[in-house]
Amino acid sequence: MPFNRLSLNYGMLTNTCSINYFCTNTNIIKMQFELTEEHIMIQQAAREFAQTELLPGVIERDNEQKFPMSQIRKLGELGFLGMMVSPEYGGGGMDTISYVLAMEEISKVDASASVVMSVNNSLVCWGLETFGNEEQKQKYLVPLAQGIIHGGFCLSEPEAGSDATSQRTTAEDMGDYYLLNGTKNWITNGSSADTFIVMAQTHPELKHKGINALIITKDMPGFIVGKKEDKLGIRGSDTHSLMFQDVKVPKANRIGEEGFGFKFAMKTLSGGRIGIAAQALGIASGAYELALNYSKERKAFGTEIKNHQAIQFKLADMATEIEAARLLCHKAAWMKDQHLNYDRASSMAKLFASEVAMKTTVEAVQIHGGYGYVKEYHVERLMRDAKITQIYEGTSEVQRVVIARDILK
Ligand code: CAA
């Protein structure tokens, strides 16, 4: 079946409410557990794309650390790179649940492709649409949302990972432009992206309140793509250090007011964490489906291994934990769509789903036995891919900080 660009045949979703859902100790809010027809359509389109476009060659791309450029371009043409952006700016106008469903399906097969999708949708497009001005949206958001180009998000530095306020990259105020100098580390889409949002310090005496968020393009003189990281997992994605040497960034490229950069990063990451939670969910459910199918085929001690309780208990635990992770992801997405505060919910979803991804993929390898340890069966790659979901866009420890602060405030 040929794919249609999602935005062409997809209207705005309606949220009908049917089930009481306890959100906080004091408030009862309603949440729809049933997917709409549109949701199912998007889920199926993403599943089909993953099977037909991403599965062929996924092992080779992982081996060779090859970026899935043609597949990313196709994802862009279909509308998967700007799913939540308003159609006015070239996006699909979809809700966050749709995004989570698509992320799960793509991540089941190729987490290297889904991280590109996640960074572009949640960190770059969402940040620009929510906080950018009209000129920035027309110039940068439209091609990003249409998937003609994709973007990167530059917060981490050699000495500022979890401790994100300690930005050493400087954006010196030169009147009508900023002079950008410094190094960013572990940047997803580092060599493939065209447009980056870079956090940099303008007034160190103001600490995090002196940080600005600036839009950079790869053709700006002084922008240097540094070392490509040789990673454990998501090896098809291009992770680089980036250097800025006297890059002149027009003031018009600053997002929001002077000093808004750190809050911009935190607010944007809050939504980003829903995307990574959905990626972790997809890695877990992909590994689970492979293990389930394998258990029906592989025979040991005279019967399919699914008939052994040792395997049944593993499958039962995997299915239960994946379902719980899915509910947390969907709840966080739903809260975002309802314009409720979703900081705690997104951290809970990411914390839990990433731990489930790690645990489930280890068990999927175990169920596959010796076959699980070789590349052909996919589960060892999913196990390697799972690990990064506990690290990027805030480690599991950072998610616990966010959750604990919210509980105790
Ligand atoms: N929304 C709005 N503002 C927020 C916020 C949020 N969600 N979270 C924090 N802030 C504000 C605070 O209110 C505070 O502002 P005021 O001083 O005006 O009150 C300011 O930000 C500083 O906050 P904290 O005092 O809480 O700062 P902290 O130093 O204690 O750090 C932290 C908090 C949660 C640990 C934060 O530094 C953090 O999230 N660290 C992890 C960074 C991260 O996720 N990096 C990922 C890199 S991007 C990536 O991985 C993308 C990729 O390529 C895949």
Side-chain angles (χ1 to χ4, degrees):
M1 186 186 90
F3 301 108
N4 294 319
R5 186 176 163 82
L6 293 173
S7 54
L8 292 180
N9 53 13
Y10 189 79
M12 293 297 288
L13 297 176
T14 51
N15 280 300
T16 50
C17 303
S18 62
I19 298 170
N20 284 340
Y21 188 87
F22 292 82
C23 175
T24 68
N25 290 338
T26 48
N27 299 325
I28 298 174
I29 55 173
K30 289 182 173 181
M31 184 173 175
Q32 167 80 308
F33 282 86
E34 211 173 317
L35 297 178
T36 63
E37 272 179 34
E38 290 89 345
H39 287 148
I40 291 165
M41 191 192 85
I42 286 160
Q43 187 180 45
Q44 283 172 348
R47 188 174 298 161
E48 202 176 322
F49 184 87
Q51 289 300 320
T52 57
E53 300 285 341
L54 292 171
L55 188 58
V58 66
I59 294 172
E60 291 73 21
R61 292 195 298 275
D62 174 75
N63 277 340
E64 295 159 19
Q65 300 188 74
K66 188 168 172 231
F67 185 81
M69 189 54 108
S70 65
Q71 292 84 348
I72 294 299
R73 285 291 158 261
K74 283 185 192 163
L75 271 175
E77 283 162 21
L78 291 168
F80 283 110
L81 294 188
M83 294 182 70
M84 295 170 289
V85 175
S86 153
E88 189 189 342
Y89 297 111
M94 298 174 211
D95 64 1
T96 315
I97 302 266
S98 305
Y99 170 54
V100 163
L101 291 167
M103 277 295 296
E104 179 179 350
E105 293 305 322
I106 301 292
S107 306
K108 278 183 188 177
V109 174
D110 189 351
S112 294
S114 73
V115 71
V116 183
M117 185 175 149
S118 178
V119 167
N120 202 66
N121 273 287
S122 349
L123 297 186
V124 184
C125 287
W126 187 85
L128 276 170
E129 182 166 29
T130 309
F131 301 110
N133 60 36
E134 188 58 29
E135 194 189 329
Q136 292 167 347
K137 288 183 201 180
Q138 293 297 345
K139 192 167 174 188
Y140 301 108
L141 176 60
V142 170
L144 286 162
Q146 289 175 337
I148 296 166
I149 56 170
H150 63 270
F153 182 86
C154 308
L155 178 67
S156 302
E157 297 186 354
E159 290 173 72
S162 293
D163 183 11
T165 59
S166 299
Q167 295 287 301
R168 300 270 170 90
T169 297
T170 54
E172 201 183 335
D173 190 337
M174 306 298 281
D176 56 354
Y177 66 91
Y178 292 101
L179 198 62
L180 186 68
N181 279 289
T183 301
K184 294 287 175 181
N185 258 25
W186 310 295
I187 304 304
T188 303
N189 303 338
S191 61
S192 62
D194 302 78
T195 302
F196 297 86
I197 300 176
V198 179
M199 268 44 75
Q201 182 58 270
T202 299
H203 297 290
E205 70 285 3
L206 299 179
K207 302 194 170 149
H208 66 270
K209 291 184 172 141
I211 294 171
N212 281 313
L214 305 175
I215 305 166
I216 310 294
T217 53
K218 69 175 180 188
D219 55 0
M220 286 182 173
F223 172 83
I224 298 160
V225 177
K227 177 169 81 93
K228 180 174 176 174
E229 302 296 348
D230 186 359
K231 306 190 297 292
L232 173 74
I234 54 163
R235 288 171 59 80
S237 83
D238 56 326
T239 310
H240 285 259
S241 57
L242 300 179
M243 273 83 81
F244 309 105
Q245 290 179 0
D246 288 338
V247 179
K248 286 184 179 176
V249 186
K251 280 258 170 89
N253 284 26
R254 188 188 70 219
I255 302 175
E257 295 297 308
E258 176 82 31
F260 180 63
F262 191 73
K263 288 224 163 157
F264 168 85
M266 289 297 108
K267 283 175 183 280
T268 305
L269 277 167
S270 209
R273 288 166 184 165
I274 300 176
I276 300 304
Q279 182 189 45
L281 170 65
I283 293 170
S285 50
Y288 163 74
E289 284 173 17
L290 288 167
L292 181 67
N293 291 338
Y294 182 80
S295 77
K296 293 174 184 169
E297 289 161 10
R298 172 74 172 165
K299 287 189 178 159
F301 304 102
T303 183
E304 289 81 16
I305 62 171
K306 72 176 168 62
N307 297 320
H308 298 300
Q309 203 175 49
I311 301 297
Q312 291 172 357
F313 281 10
K314 283 189 196 301
L315 292 170
D317 285 347
M318 290 156 102
T320 305
E321 286 167 5
I322 288 167
E323 192 61 24
R326 188 174 290 115
L327 286 172
L328 280 176
C329 288
H330 286 209
K331 183 191 170 189
W334 179 84
M335 288 183 78
K336 180 164 174 284
D337 290 334
Q338 300 301 312
H339 308 292
L340 298 165
N341 185 326
Y342 54 90
D343 293 343
R344 189 208 296 195
S346 70
S347 284
M348 283 181 167
K350 181 179 182 293
L351 171 64
F352 190 76
S354 62
E355 312 251 316
V356 168
M358 203 63 246
K359 200 172 153 195
T360 305
T361 53
V362 167
E363 288 294 55
V365 171
Q366 192 68 19
I367 289 173
H368 279 76
Y371 291 109
Y373 205 65
V374 297
K375 298 202 169 186
E376 194 186 331
Y377 284 77
H378 296 281
V379 282
E380 66 81 33
R381 174 173 48 81
L382 292 169
M383 183 178 80
R384 288 186 284 106
D385 289 349
K387 185 62 203 168
I388 193 60
T389 65
Q390 295 179 308
I391 298 172
Y392 60 18
E393 299 204 23
T395 60
S396 291
E397 291 72 21
V398 162
Q399 307 314 323
R400 288 185 172 95
V401 168
V402 174
I403 296 162
R405 283 184 183 174
D406 195 67
I407 291 168
L408 298 168
K409 76 183 175 199

